[in-house]
Amino acid sequence: MTLEERIENSKTSIFKAVFPNTTNHYDTLFGGTAMHMMDEVAFITATRFSRQIMVTVSSDRIDFKKPIPAGSIVELVGKVIHVGNTSLKVNVEIYIEQMYAEGRELAVHGDFTFVAIDEHKKPVQVIK
């Protein structure tokens, strides 16, 4: 399988509803909750790409472009954007959809770096 095919096959998309228990006093999604969801999607994407034990080592610049209101549907999309020797970088975007209206818009995006590790927690080749 080529690197491009591997990247395409690992692309991950998850939909979630934004319920009141995940929002702040402005009735918008907590930033920390958004980051948690993004890290989870990034982890799934990285694992699907490498099929190895992957751990988050950093998150780079997470930009919150639009507030995400309660009662919205969000789509989180993860895609591998860089592959190194023992690490890879995943870009995650969160799109907002209103439940009862057409259209969607980008609300948040950021990058997460993962390292492949062995059973002794030592870095290993990201592609076997």
Side-chain angles (χ1 to χ4, degrees):
M1 178 182 317
T2 69
L3 180 62
E4 292 77 19
E5 289 171 327
R6 203 170 178 142
I7 289 170
E8 187 58 33
N9 290 343
S10 66
K11 189 174 176 183
T12 302
S13 178
I14 295 175
F15 289 87
K16 293 189 174 271
V18 179
F19 292 114
N21 66 324
T22 62
T23 62
N24 58 30
H25 57 291
Y26 295 115
D27 275 341
T28 60
L29 186 67
F30 278 115
T33 302
M35 292 168 60
H36 170 93
M37 293 188 310
M38 292 172 78
D39 188 35
E40 182 179 355
V41 168
F43 166 76
I44 293 168
T45 304
T47 302
R48 292 180 71 210
F49 178 88
S50 69
R51 298 297 176 181
Q52 298 185 77
I53 301 168
M54 301 296 290
V55 293
T56 308
V57 294
S58 71
S59 58
D60 301 340
R61 190 177 172 129
I62 297 173
D63 292 320
F64 296 84
K65 300 290 190 185
K66 302 249 181 214
I68 302 173
S72 303
I73 296 170
V74 292
E75 179 184 18
L76 294 101
V77 180
K79 183 176 181 183
V80 173
I81 58 170
H82 176 77
V83 179
N85 187 29
T86 61
S87 66
L88 58 79
K89 188 173 279 197
V90 177
N91 175 262
V92 178
E93 297 175 325
I94 301 180
Y95 293 90
I96 307 169
E97 294 183 15
Q98 298 307 315
M99 283 196 188
Y100 308 111
E102 295 294 325
R104 62 190 247 151
E105 52 188 334
L106 179 64
V108 184
H109 62 88
D111 297 331
F112 295 78
T113 303
F114 289 82
V115 169
I117 60 171
D118 64 15
E119 64 276 0
H120 305 292
K121 300 185 175 133
K122 301 292 181 203
V124 295
Q125 295 275 341
V126 96
I127 299 176
K128 290 183 183 180

